[in-house]
Amino acid sequence: MHRLIQEGKLIPEASITEYLKDHVDQNTLAQFTRVKVRDLLHHRAGFPNHGPSTPPTPNGIAMLGGYPQALMLSDLAKIDLKDDFDAQMSYSNYAFGLLGFIAEQVSGKTYADLLQEYILQAYQLGSTTSDIKQTQNLATPYFIGKRTKPTQAWEMGAQTPAGGLFSNADDLC
């Protein structure tokens, strides 16, 4: 996001509705005019951690099949924005998924392409990806109380910008 801000493509003080006006209905836009890009960046937009339609993932169960972009955008209408939404920090994967969508809109590139250009190539991270299909020998979360039970990696779909990055120890170091 920082690079898009530096390039003048993303404005932290702009309302998110500026970037969503072609993708959600007018009633939804009217509810979120006070929410700025910086509110999403700082986890102060009052959004829930996950979109209302995100499949539940109890005790290490992986989200499979992803969270489609169209569903993420329609979920915006289901979020109740409180008057003091920016009063406190509240971590939100949903907000970062929305930021990823906005980044795609302002750049004309996919999130995977942005990741490749701005991070992976720049820092020579040849074993890091946002595409779960490219991963091998992936460490996955564990079940609470059943640490030896095998689990699967999450297919995050539209929430990929919130943490759908896969890497190896060499790239991480």
mmCIF file with all atom_site columns, all heavy atoms in Angstrom, residues 70-96:
data_model
loop_
_atom_site.group_PDB
_atom_site.id
_atom_site.type_symbol
_atom_site.label_atom_id
_atom_site.label_alt_id
_atom_site.label_comp_id
_atom_site.label_asym_id
_atom_site.label_entity_id
_atom_site.label_seq_id
_atom_site.pdbx_PDB_ins_code
_atom_site.Cartn_x
_atom_site.Cartn_y
_atom_site.Cartn_z
_atom_site.occupancy
_atom_site.B_iso_or_equiv
_atom_site.pdbx_formal_charge
_atom_site.auth_seq_id
_atom_site.auth_comp_id
_atom_site.auth_asym_id
_atom_site.auth_atom_id
_atom_site.pdbx_PDB_model_num
ATOM 1   N N   . ALA A 1 70 ? -16.857 -11.059 -5.002 1.00 0.00 ? 70 ALA A N   1
ATOM 2   C CA  . ALA A 1 70 ? -18.242 -10.573 -5.088 1.00 0.00 ? 70 ALA A CA  1
ATOM 3   C C   . ALA A 1 70 ? -18.942 -10.691 -3.735 1.00 0.00 ? 70 ALA A C   1
ATOM 4   O O   . ALA A 1 70 ? -19.708 -9.798  -3.348 1.00 0.00 ? 70 ALA A O   1
ATOM 5   C CB  . ALA A 1 70 ? -19.012 -11.345 -6.164 1.00 0.00 ? 70 ALA A CB  1
ATOM 6   N N   . LEU A 1 71 ? -18.658 -11.761 -3.016 1.00 0.00 ? 71 LEU A N   1
ATOM 7   C CA  . LEU A 1 71 ? -19.259 -11.947 -1.691 1.00 0.00 ? 71 LEU A CA  1
ATOM 8   C C   . LEU A 1 71 ? -18.690 -10.928 -0.701 1.00 0.00 ? 71 LEU A C   1
ATOM 9   O O   . LEU A 1 71 ? -19.415 -10.366 0.117  1.00 0.00 ? 71 LEU A O   1
ATOM 10  C CB  . LEU A 1 71 ? -19.015 -13.377 -1.206 1.00 0.00 ? 71 LEU A CB  1
ATOM 11  C CG  . LEU A 1 71 ? -19.752 -13.818 0.042  1.00 0.00 ? 71 LEU A CG  1
ATOM 12  C CD1 . LEU A 1 71 ? -21.252 -13.622 -0.100 1.00 0.00 ? 71 LEU A CD1 1
ATOM 13  C CD2 . LEU A 1 71 ? -19.440 -15.286 0.331  1.00 0.00 ? 71 LEU A CD2 1
ATOM 14  N N   . MET A 1 72 ? -17.384 -10.671 -0.783 1.00 0.00 ? 72 MET A N   1
ATOM 15  C CA  . MET A 1 72 ? -16.771 -9.671  0.086  1.00 0.00 ? 72 MET A CA  1
ATOM 16  C C   . MET A 1 72 ? -17.431 -8.299  -0.131 1.00 0.00 ? 72 MET A C   1
ATOM 17  O O   . MET A 1 72 ? -17.750 -7.600  0.826  1.00 0.00 ? 72 MET A O   1
ATOM 18  C CB  . MET A 1 72 ? -15.274 -9.563  -0.178 1.00 0.00 ? 72 MET A CB  1
ATOM 19  C CG  . MET A 1 72 ? -14.590 -8.514  0.687  1.00 0.00 ? 72 MET A CG  1
ATOM 20  S SD  . MET A 1 72 ? -12.876 -8.206  0.264  1.00 0.00 ? 72 MET A SD  1
ATOM 21  C CE  . MET A 1 72 ? -13.025 -7.485  -1.363 1.00 0.00 ? 72 MET A CE  1
ATOM 22  N N   . LEU A 1 73 ? -17.651 -7.931  -1.378 1.00 0.00 ? 73 LEU A N   1
ATOM 23  C CA  . LEU A 1 73 ? -18.266 -6.637  -1.675 1.00 0.00 ? 73 LEU A CA  1
ATOM 24  C C   . LEU A 1 73 ? -19.724 -6.596  -1.226 1.00 0.00 ? 73 LEU A C   1
ATOM 25  O O   . LEU A 1 73 ? -20.172 -5.586  -0.671 1.00 0.00 ? 73 LEU A O   1
ATOM 26  C CB  . LEU A 1 73 ? -18.151 -6.329  -3.168 1.00 0.00 ? 73 LEU A CB  1
ATOM 27  C CG  . LEU A 1 73 ? -16.723 -6.059  -3.651 1.00 0.00 ? 73 LEU A CG  1
ATOM 28  C CD1 . LEU A 1 73 ? -16.687 -5.992  -5.173 1.00 0.00 ? 73 LEU A CD1 1
ATOM 29  C CD2 . LEU A 1 73 ? -16.154 -4.799  -3.025 1.00 0.00 ? 73 LEU A CD2 1
ATOM 30  N N   . SER A 1 74 ? -20.464 -7.673  -1.414 1.00 0.00 ? 74 SER A N   1
ATOM 31  C CA  . SER A 1 74 ? -21.863 -7.675  -0.965 1.00 0.00 ? 74 SER A CA  1
ATOM 32  C C   . SER A 1 74 ? -21.958 -7.711  0.560  1.00 0.00 ? 74 SER A C   1
ATOM 33  O O   . SER A 1 74 ? -22.920 -7.209  1.131  1.00 0.00 ? 74 SER A O   1
ATOM 34  C CB  . SER A 1 74 ? -22.643 -8.829  -1.599 1.00 0.00 ? 74 SER A CB  1
ATOM 35  O OG  . SER A 1 74 ? -22.204 -10.073 -1.115 1.00 0.00 ? 74 SER A OG  1
ATOM 36  N N   . ASP A 1 75 ? -20.957 -8.268  1.227  1.00 0.00 ? 75 ASP A N   1
ATOM 37  C CA  . ASP A 1 75 ? -20.940 -8.286  2.693  1.00 0.00 ? 75 ASP A CA  1
ATOM 38  C C   . ASP A 1 75 ? -20.839 -6.891  3.288  1.00 0.00 ? 75 ASP A C   1
ATOM 39  O O   . ASP A 1 75 ? -21.249 -6.661  4.421  1.00 0.00 ? 75 ASP A O   1
ATOM 40  C CB  . ASP A 1 75 ? -19.773 -9.140  3.213  1.00 0.00 ? 75 ASP A CB  1
ATOM 41  C CG  . ASP A 1 75 ? -20.139 -10.601 3.380  1.00 0.00 ? 75 ASP A CG  1
ATOM 42  O OD1 . ASP A 1 75 ? -21.324 -10.953 3.198  1.00 0.00 ? 75 ASP A OD1 1
ATOM 43  O OD2 . ASP A 1 75 ? -19.234 -11.400 3.702  1.00 0.00 ? 75 ASP A OD2 1
ATOM 44  N N   . LEU A 1 76 ? -20.295 -5.950  2.540  1.00 0.00 ? 76 LEU A N   1
ATOM 45  C CA  . LEU A 1 76 ? -20.168 -4.589  3.044  1.00 0.00 ? 76 LEU A CA  1
ATOM 46  C C   . LEU A 1 76 ? -21.534 -4.038  3.475  1.00 0.00 ? 76 LEU A C   1
ATOM 47  O O   . LEU A 1 76 ? -21.648 -3.352  4.488  1.00 0.00 ? 76 LEU A O   1
ATOM 48  C CB  . LEU A 1 76 ? -19.525 -3.695  1.975  1.00 0.00 ? 76 LEU A CB  1
ATOM 49  C CG  . LEU A 1 76 ? -19.042 -2.320  2.414  1.00 0.00 ? 76 LEU A CG  1
ATOM 50  C CD1 . LEU A 1 76 ? -18.038 -2.420  3.545  1.00 0.00 ? 76 LEU A CD1 1
ATOM 51  C CD2 . LEU A 1 76 ? -18.439 -1.578  1.237  1.00 0.00 ? 76 LEU A CD2 1
ATOM 52  N N   . ALA A 1 77 ? -22.582 -4.376  2.742  1.00 0.00 ? 77 ALA A N   1
ATOM 53  C CA  . ALA A 1 77 ? -23.934 -3.903  3.069  1.00 0.00 ? 77 ALA A CA  1
ATOM 54  C C   . ALA A 1 77 ? -24.458 -4.527  4.361  1.00 0.00 ? 77 ALA A C   1
ATOM 55  O O   . ALA A 1 77 ? -25.399 -4.000  4.962  1.00 0.00 ? 77 ALA A O   1
ATOM 56  C CB  . ALA A 1 77 ? -24.890 -4.217  1.914  1.00 0.00 ? 77 ALA A CB  1
ATOM 57  N N   . LYS A 1 78 ? -23.851 -5.610  4.808  1.00 0.00 ? 78 LYS A N   1
ATOM 58  C CA  . LYS A 1 78 ? -24.301 -6.302  6.029  1.00 0.00 ? 78 LYS A CA  1
ATOM 59  C C   . LYS A 1 78 ? -23.572 -5.827  7.280  1.00 0.00 ? 78 LYS A C   1
ATOM 60  O O   . LYS A 1 78 ? -23.859 -6.286  8.376  1.00 0.00 ? 78 LYS A O   1
ATOM 61  C CB  . LYS A 1 78 ? -24.089 -7.811  5.870  1.00 0.00 ? 78 LYS A CB  1
ATOM 62  C CG  . LYS A 1 78 ? -24.860 -8.416  4.717  1.00 0.00 ? 78 LYS A CG  1
ATOM 63  C CD  . LYS A 1 78 ? -24.480 -9.867  4.537  1.00 0.00 ? 78 LYS A CD  1
ATOM 64  C CE  . LYS A 1 78 ? -25.090 -10.439 3.275  1.00 0.00 ? 78 LYS A CE  1
ATOM 65  N NZ  . LYS A 1 78 ? -24.579 -11.789 2.996  1.00 0.00 ? 78 LYS A NZ  1
ATOM 66  N N   . ILE A 1 79 ? -22.623 -4.931  7.120  1.00 0.00 ? 79 ILE A N   1
ATOM 67  C CA  . ILE A 1 79 ? -21.839 -4.456  8.261  1.00 0.00 ? 79 ILE A CA  1
ATOM 68  C C   . ILE A 1 79 ? -22.481 -3.211  8.832  1.00 0.00 ? 79 ILE A C   1
ATOM 69  O O   . ILE A 1 79 ? -22.786 -2.259  8.111  1.00 0.00 ? 79 ILE A O   1
ATOM 70  C CB  . ILE A 1 79 ? -20.381 -4.184  7.833  1.00 0.00 ? 79 ILE A CB  1
ATOM 71  C CG1 . ILE A 1 79 ? -19.712 -5.499  7.439  1.00 0.00 ? 79 ILE A CG1 1
ATOM 72  C CG2 . ILE A 1 79 ? -19.605 -3.488  8.949  1.00 0.00 ? 79 ILE A CG2 1
ATOM 73  C CD1 . ILE A 1 79 ? -18.341 -5.353  6.838  1.00 0.00 ? 79 ILE A CD1 1
ATOM 74  N N   . ASP A 1 80 ? -22.701 -3.214  10.142 1.00 0.00 ? 80 ASP A N   1
ATOM 75  C CA  . ASP A 1 80 ? -23.313 -2.089  10.840 1.00 0.00 ? 80 ASP A CA  1
ATOM 76  C C   . ASP A 1 80 ? -22.204 -1.179  11.356 1.00 0.00 ? 80 ASP A C   1
ATOM 77  O O   . ASP A 1 80 ? -21.481 -1.537  12.287 1.00 0.00 ? 80 ASP A O   1
ATOM 78  C CB  . ASP A 1 80 ? -24.164 -2.610  11.994 1.00 0.00 ? 80 ASP A CB  1
ATOM 79  C CG  . ASP A 1 80 ? -24.864 -1.500  12.752 1.00 0.00 ? 80 ASP A CG  1
ATOM 80  O OD1 . ASP A 1 80 ? -25.177 -0.464  12.141 1.00 0.00 ? 80 ASP A OD1 1
ATOM 81  O OD2 . ASP A 1 80 ? -25.091 -1.686  13.960 1.00 0.00 ? 80 ASP A OD2 1
ATOM 82  N N   . LEU A 1 81 ? -22.045 -0.016  10.750 1.00 0.00 ? 81 LEU A N   1
ATOM 83  C CA  . LEU A 1 81 ? -21.003 0.923   11.136 1.00 0.00 ? 81 LEU A CA  1
ATOM 84  C C   . LEU A 1 81 ? -21.496 1.771   12.305 1.00 0.00 ? 81 LEU A C   1
ATOM 85  O O   . LEU A 1 81 ? -22.511 2.445   12.207 1.00 0.00 ? 81 LEU A O   1
ATOM 86  C CB  . LEU A 1 81 ? -20.627 1.817   9.950  1.00 0.00 ? 81 LEU A CB  1
ATOM 87  C CG  . LEU A 1 81 ? -19.442 2.731   10.148 1.00 0.00 ? 81 LEU A CG  1
ATOM 88  C CD1 . LEU A 1 81 ? -18.164 1.912   10.317 1.00 0.00 ? 81 LEU A CD1 1
ATOM 89  C CD2 . LEU A 1 81 ? -19.294 3.674   8.966  1.00 0.00 ? 81 LEU A CD2 1
ATOM 90  N N   . LYS A 1 82 ? -20.762 1.733   13.401 1.00 0.00 ? 82 LYS A N   1
ATOM 91  C CA  . LYS A 1 82 ? -21.124 2.520   14.575 1.00 0.00 ? 82 LYS A CA  1
ATOM 92  C C   . LYS A 1 82 ? -20.635 3.963   14.415 1.00 0.00 ? 82 LYS A C   1
ATOM 93  O O   . LYS A 1 82 ? -19.677 4.229   13.696 1.00 0.00 ? 82 LYS A O   1
ATOM 94  C CB  . LYS A 1 82 ? -20.508 1.878   15.813 1.00 0.00 ? 82 LYS A CB  1
ATOM 95  C CG  . LYS A 1 82 ? -21.076 0.494   16.092 1.00 0.00 ? 82 LYS A CG  1
ATOM 96  C CD  . LYS A 1 82 ? -20.389 -0.149  17.279 1.00 0.00 ? 82 LYS A CD  1
ATOM 97  C CE  . LYS A 1 82 ? -20.945 -1.492  17.631 1.00 0.00 ? 82 LYS A CE  1
ATOM 98  N NZ  . LYS A 1 82 ? -21.153 -2.436  16.586 1.00 0.00 ? 82 LYS A NZ  1
ATOM 99  N N   . ASP A 1 83 ? -21.283 4.887   15.111 1.00 0.00 ? 83 ASP A N   1
ATOM 100 C CA  . ASP A 1 83 ? -20.917 6.305   15.018 1.00 0.00 ? 83 ASP A CA  1
ATOM 101 C C   . ASP A 1 83 ? -19.455 6.546   15.395 1.00 0.00 ? 83 ASP A C   1
ATOM 102 O O   . ASP A 1 83 ? -18.784 7.362   14.792 1.00 0.00 ? 83 ASP A O   1
ATOM 103 C CB  . ASP A 1 83 ? -21.824 7.163   15.909 1.00 0.00 ? 83 ASP A CB  1
ATOM 104 C CG  . ASP A 1 83 ? -23.225 7.295   15.330 1.00 0.00 ? 83 ASP A CG  1
ATOM 105 O OD1 . ASP A 1 83 ? -23.385 7.096   14.104 1.00 0.00 ? 83 ASP A OD1 1
ATOM 106 O OD2 . ASP A 1 83 ? -24.157 7.575   16.099 1.00 0.00 ? 83 ASP A OD2 1
ATOM 107 N N   . ASP A 1 84 ? -18.972 5.825   16.412 1.00 0.00 ? 84 ASP A N   1
ATOM 108 C CA  . ASP A 1 84 ? -17.598 6.012   16.883 1.00 0.00 ? 84 ASP A CA  1
ATOM 109 C C   . ASP A 1 84 ? -16.682 4.909   16.356 1.00 0.00 ? 84 ASP A C   1
ATOM 110 O O   . ASP A 1 84 ? -15.786 4.446   17.049 1.00 0.00 ? 84 ASP A O   1
ATOM 111 C CB  . ASP A 1 84 ? -17.560 6.060   18.403 1.00 0.00 ? 84 ASP A CB  1
ATOM 112 C CG  . ASP A 1 84 ? -18.006 4.760   19.052 1.00 0.00 ? 84 ASP A CG  1
ATOM 113 O OD1 . ASP A 1 84 ? -18.614 3.907   18.355 1.00 0.00 ? 84 ASP A OD1 1
ATOM 114 O OD2 . ASP A 1 84 ? -17.756 4.585   20.255 1.00 0.00 ? 84 ASP A OD2 1
ATOM 115 N N   . PHE A 1 85 ? -16.895 4.508   15.103 1.00 0.00 ? 85 PHE A N   1
ATOM 116 C CA  . PHE A 1 85 ? -16.174 3.376   14.528 1.00 0.00 ? 85 PHE A CA  1
ATOM 117 C C   . PHE A 1 85 ? -14.662 3.496   14.653 1.00 0.00 ? 85 PHE A C   1
ATOM 118 O O   . PHE A 1 85 ? -13.960 2.509   14.771 1.00 0.00 ? 85 PHE A O   1
ATOM 119 C CB  . PHE A 1 85 ? -16.553 3.167   13.054 1.00 0.00 ? 85 PHE A CB  1
ATOM 120 C CG  . PHE A 1 85 ? -16.079 4.266   12.134 1.00 0.00 ? 85 PHE A CG  1
ATOM 121 C CD1 . PHE A 1 85 ? -14.837 4.201   11.542 1.00 0.00 ? 85 PHE A CD1 1
ATOM 122 C CD2 . PHE A 1 85 ? -16.887 5.350   11.854 1.00 0.00 ? 85 PHE A CD2 1
ATOM 123 C CE1 . PHE A 1 85 ? -14.393 5.203   10.686 1.00 0.00 ? 85 PHE A CE1 1
ATOM 124 C CE2 . PHE A 1 85 ? -16.466 6.357   11.006 1.00 0.00 ? 85 PHE A CE2 1
ATOM 125 C CZ  . PHE A 1 85 ? -15.209 6.287   10.423 1.00 0.00 ? 85 PHE A CZ  1
ATOM 126 N N   . ASP A 1 86 ? -14.130 4.710   14.641 1.00 0.00 ? 86 ASP A N   1
ATOM 127 C CA  . ASP A 1 86 ? -12.684 4.909   14.656 1.00 0.00 ? 86 ASP A CA  1
ATOM 128 C C   . ASP A 1 86 ? -12.117 5.154   16.055 1.00 0.00 ? 86 ASP A C   1
ATOM 129 O O   . ASP A 1 86 ? -10.953 5.505   16.214 1.00 0.00 ? 86 ASP A O   1
ATOM 130 C CB  . ASP A 1 86 ? -12.297 6.055   13.730 1.00 0.00 ? 86 ASP A CB  1
ATOM 131 C CG  . ASP A 1 86 ? -12.974 7.363   14.103 1.00 0.00 ? 86 ASP A CG  1
ATOM 132 O OD1 . ASP A 1 86 ? -13.895 7.359   14.943 1.00 0.00 ? 86 ASP A OD1 1
ATOM 133 O OD2 . ASP A 1 86 ? -12.577 8.390   13.538 1.00 0.00 ? 86 ASP A OD2 1
ATOM 134 N N   . ALA A 1 87 ? -12.923 4.929   17.090 1.00 0.00 ? 87 ALA A N   1
ATOM 135 C CA  . ALA A 1 87 ? -12.497 5.219   18.456 1.00 0.00 ? 87 ALA A CA  1
ATOM 136 C C   . ALA A 1 87 ? -11.435 4.254   18.976 1.00 0.00 ? 87 ALA A C   1
ATOM 137 O O   . ALA A 1 87 ? -10.654 4.612   19.845 1.00 0.00 ? 87 ALA A O   1
ATOM 138 C CB  . ALA A 1 87 ? -13.704 5.219   19.395 1.00 0.00 ? 87 ALA A CB  1
ATOM 139 N N   . GLN A 1 88 ? -11.421 3.058   18.479 1.00 0.00 ? 88 GLN A N   1
ATOM 140 C CA  . GLN A 1 88 ? -10.420 2.106   18.957 1.00 0.00 ? 88 GLN A CA  1
ATOM 141 C C   . GLN A 1 88 ? -10.001 1.152   17.854 1.00 0.00 ? 88 GLN A C   1
ATOM 142 O O   . GLN A 1 88 ? -10.732 0.911   16.910 1.00 0.00 ? 88 GLN A O   1
ATOM 143 C CB  . GLN A 1 88 ? -10.928 1.325   20.159 1.00 0.00 ? 88 GLN A CB  1
ATOM 144 C CG  . GLN A 1 88 ? -12.066 0.375   19.854 1.00 0.00 ? 88 GLN A CG  1
ATOM 145 C CD  . GLN A 1 88 ? -12.526 -0.366  21.097 1.00 0.00 ? 88 GLN A CD  1
ATOM 146 O OE1 . GLN A 1 88 ? -12.304 0.077   22.208 1.00 0.00 ? 88 GLN A OE1 1
ATOM 147 N NE2 . GLN A 1 88 ? -13.174 -1.490  20.901 1.00 0.00 ? 88 GLN A NE2 1
ATOM 148 N N   . MET A 1 89 ? -8.821  0.613   18.014 1.00 0.00 ? 89 MET A N   1
ATOM 149 C CA  . MET A 1 89 ? -8.277  -0.353  17.057 1.00 0.00 ? 89 MET A CA  1
ATOM 150 C C   . MET A 1 89 ? -9.032  -1.672  17.188 1.00 0.00 ? 89 MET A C   1
ATOM 151 O O   . MET A 1 89 ? -9.343  -2.104  18.280 1.00 0.00 ? 89 MET A O   1
ATOM 152 C CB  . MET A 1 89 ? -6.782  -0.563  17.359 1.00 0.00 ? 89 MET A CB  1
ATOM 153 C CG  . MET A 1 89 ? -6.086  -1.438  16.354 1.00 0.00 ? 89 MET A CG  1
ATOM 154 S SD  . MET A 1 89 ? -6.114  -3.135  16.914 1.00 0.00 ? 89 MET A SD  1
ATOM 155 C CE  . MET A 1 89 ? -4.943  -3.859  15.838 1.00 0.00 ? 89 MET A CE  1
ATOM 156 N N   . SER A 1 90 ? -9.366  -2.264  16.067 1.00 0.00 ? 90 SER A N   1
ATOM 157 C CA  . SER A 1 90 ? -10.013 -3.561  16.049 1.00 0.00 ? 90 SER A CA  1
ATOM 158 C C   . SER A 1 90 ? -9.518  -4.308  14.811 1.00 0.00 ? 90 SER A C   1
ATOM 159 O O   . SER A 1 90 ? -9.885  -3.968  13.680 1.00 0.00 ? 90 SER A O   1
ATOM 160 C CB  . SER A 1 90 ? -11.535 -3.400  15.999 1.00 0.00 ? 90 SER A CB  1
ATOM 161 O OG  . SER A 1 90 ? -12.160 -4.666  15.966 1.00 0.00 ? 90 SER A OG  1
ATOM 162 N N   . TYR A 1 91 ? -8.661  -5.315  15.011 1.00 0.00 ? 91 TYR A N   1
ATOM 163 C CA  . TYR A 1 91 ? -8.040  -6.034  13.907 1.00 0.00 ? 91 TYR A CA  1
ATOM 164 C C   . TYR A 1 91 ? -9.102  -6.582  12.957 1.00 0.00 ? 91 TYR A C   1
ATOM 165 O O   . TYR A 1 91 ? -10.113 -7.121  13.388 1.00 0.00 ? 91 TYR A O   1
ATOM 166 C CB  . TYR A 1 91 ? -7.172  -7.184  14.423 1.00 0.00 ? 91 TYR A CB  1
ATOM 167 C CG  . TYR A 1 91 ? -6.466  -7.881  13.298 1.00 0.00 ? 91 TYR A CG  1
ATOM 168 C CD1 . TYR A 1 91 ? -5.276  -7.378  12.795 1.00 0.00 ? 91 TYR A CD1 1
ATOM 169 C CD2 . TYR A 1 91 ? -7.013  -9.007  12.699 1.00 0.00 ? 91 TYR A CD2 1
ATOM 170 C CE1 . TYR A 1 91 ? -4.633  -7.986  11.727 1.00 0.00 ? 91 TYR A CE1 1
ATOM 171 C CE2 . TYR A 1 91 ? -6.384  -9.614  11.630 1.00 0.00 ? 91 TYR A CE2 1
ATOM 172 C CZ  . TYR A 1 91 ? -5.201  -9.101  11.155 1.00 0.00 ? 91 TYR A CZ  1
ATOM 173 O OH  . TYR A 1 91 ? -4.578  -9.688  10.095 1.00 0.00 ? 91 TYR A OH  1
ATOM 174 N N   . SER A 1 92 ? -8.854  -6.465  11.656 1.00 0.00 ? 92 SER A N   1
ATOM 175 C CA  . SER A 1 92 ? -9.842  -6.897  10.673 1.00 0.00 ? 92 SER A CA  1
ATOM 176 C C   . SER A 1 92 ? -9.200  -7.464  9.416  1.00 0.00 ? 92 SER A C   1
ATOM 177 O O   . SER A 1 92 ? -8.626  -6.724  8.612  1.00 0.00 ? 92 SER A O   1
ATOM 178 C CB  . SER A 1 92 ? -10.746 -5.716  10.307 1.00 0.00 ? 92 SER A CB  1
ATOM 179 O OG  . SER A 1 92 ? -11.643 -6.086  9.269  1.00 0.00 ? 92 SER A OG  1
ATOM 180 N N   . ASN A 1 93 ? -9.308  -8.778  9.240  1.00 0.00 ? 93 ASN A N   1
ATOM 181 C CA  . ASN A 1 93 ? -8.912  -9.396  7.976  1.00 0.00 ? 93 ASN A CA  1
ATOM 182 C C   . ASN A 1 93 ? -9.794  -8.873  6.849  1.00 0.00 ? 93 ASN A C   1
ATOM 183 O O   . ASN A 1 93 ? -9.333  -8.688  5.726  1.00 0.00 ? 93 ASN A O   1
ATOM 184 C CB  . ASN A 1 93 ? -9.037  -10.915 8.048  1.00 0.00 ? 93 ASN A CB  1
ATOM 185 C CG  . ASN A 1 93 ? -7.913  -11.560 8.821  1.00 0.00 ? 93 ASN A CG  1
ATOM 186 O OD1 . ASN A 1 93 ? -6.793  -11.076 8.838  1.00 0.00 ? 93 ASN A OD1 1
ATOM 187 N ND2 . ASN A 1 93 ? -8.223  -12.662 9.482  1.00 0.00 ? 93 ASN A ND2 1
ATOM 188 N N   . TYR A 1 94 ? -11.061 -8.649  7.158  1.00 0.00 ? 94 TYR A N   1
ATOM 189 C CA  . TYR A 1 94 ? -11.992 -8.145  6.151  1.00 0.00 ? 94 TYR A CA  1
ATOM 190 C C   . TYR A 1 94 ? -11.507 -6.807  5.594  1.00 0.00 ? 94 TYR A C   1
ATOM 191 O O   . TYR A 1 94 ? -11.496 -6.596  4.376  1.00 0.00 ? 94 TYR A O   1
ATOM 192 C CB  . TYR A 1 94 ? -13.401 -8.007  6.739  1.00 0.00 ? 94 TYR A CB  1
ATOM 193 C CG  . TYR A 1 94 ? -14.392 -7.456  5.752  1.00 0.00 ? 94 TYR A CG  1
ATOM 194 C CD1 . TYR A 1 94 ? -15.010 -8.298  4.834  1.00 0.00 ? 94 TYR A CD1 1
ATOM 195 C CD2 . TYR A 1 94 ? -14.680 -6.103  5.697  1.00 0.00 ? 94 TYR A CD2 1
ATOM 196 C CE1 . TYR A 1 94 ? -15.898 -7.796  3.888  1.00 0.00 ? 94 TYR A CE1 1
ATOM 197 C CE2 . TYR A 1 94 ? -15.561 -5.599  4.761  1.00 0.00 ? 94 TYR A CE2 1
ATOM 198 C CZ  . TYR A 1 94 ? -16.174 -6.442  3.863  1.00 0.00 ? 94 TYR A CZ  1
ATOM 199 O OH  . TYR A 1 94 ? -17.041 -5.951  2.930  1.00 0.00 ? 94 TYR A OH  1
ATOM 200 N N   . ALA A 1 95 ? -11.097 -5.893  6.477  1.00 0.00 ? 95 ALA A N   1
ATOM 201 C CA  . ALA A 1 95 ? -10.635 -4.572  6.037  1.00 0.00 ? 95 ALA A CA  1
ATOM 202 C C   . ALA A 1 95 ? -9.420  -4.693  5.127  1.00 0.00 ? 95 ALA A C   1
ATOM 203 O O   . ALA A 1 95 ? -9.316  -3.988  4.124  1.00 0.00 ? 95 ALA A O   1
ATOM 204 C CB  . ALA A 1 95 ? -10.313 -3.693  7.241  1.00 0.00 ? 95 ALA A CB  1
ATOM 205 N N   . PHE A 1 96 ? -8.503  -5.607  5.449  1.00 0.00 ? 96 PHE A N   1
ATOM 206 C CA  . PHE A 1 96 ? -7.322  -5.756  4.610  1.00 0.00 ? 96 PHE A CA  1
ATOM 207 C C   . PHE A 1 96 ? -7.664  -6.426  3.281  1.00 0.00 ? 96 PHE A C   1
ATOM 208 O O   . PHE A 1 96 ? -7.030  -6.153  2.269  1.00 0.00 ? 96 PHE A O   1
ATOM 209 C CB  . PHE A 1 96 ? -6.199  -6.478  5.361  1.00 0.00 ? 96 PHE A CB  1
ATOM 210 C CG  . PHE A 1 96 ? -5.250  -5.499  5.982  1.00 0.00 ? 96 PHE A CG  1
ATOM 211 C CD1 . PHE A 1 96 ? -5.657  -4.660  6.998  1.00 0.00 ? 96 PHE A CD1 1
ATOM 212 C CD2 . PHE A 1 96 ? -3.955  -5.388  5.513  1.00 0.00 ? 96 PHE A CD2 1
ATOM 213 C CE1 . PHE A 1 96 ? -4.802  -3.730  7.546  1.00 0.00 ? 96 PHE A CE1 1
ATOM 214 C CE2 . PHE A 1 96 ? -3.081  -4.465  6.054  1.00 0.00 ? 96 PHE A CE2 1
ATOM 215 C CZ  . PHE A 1 96 ? -3.506  -3.636  7.074  1.00 0.00 ? 96 PHE A CZ  1
#
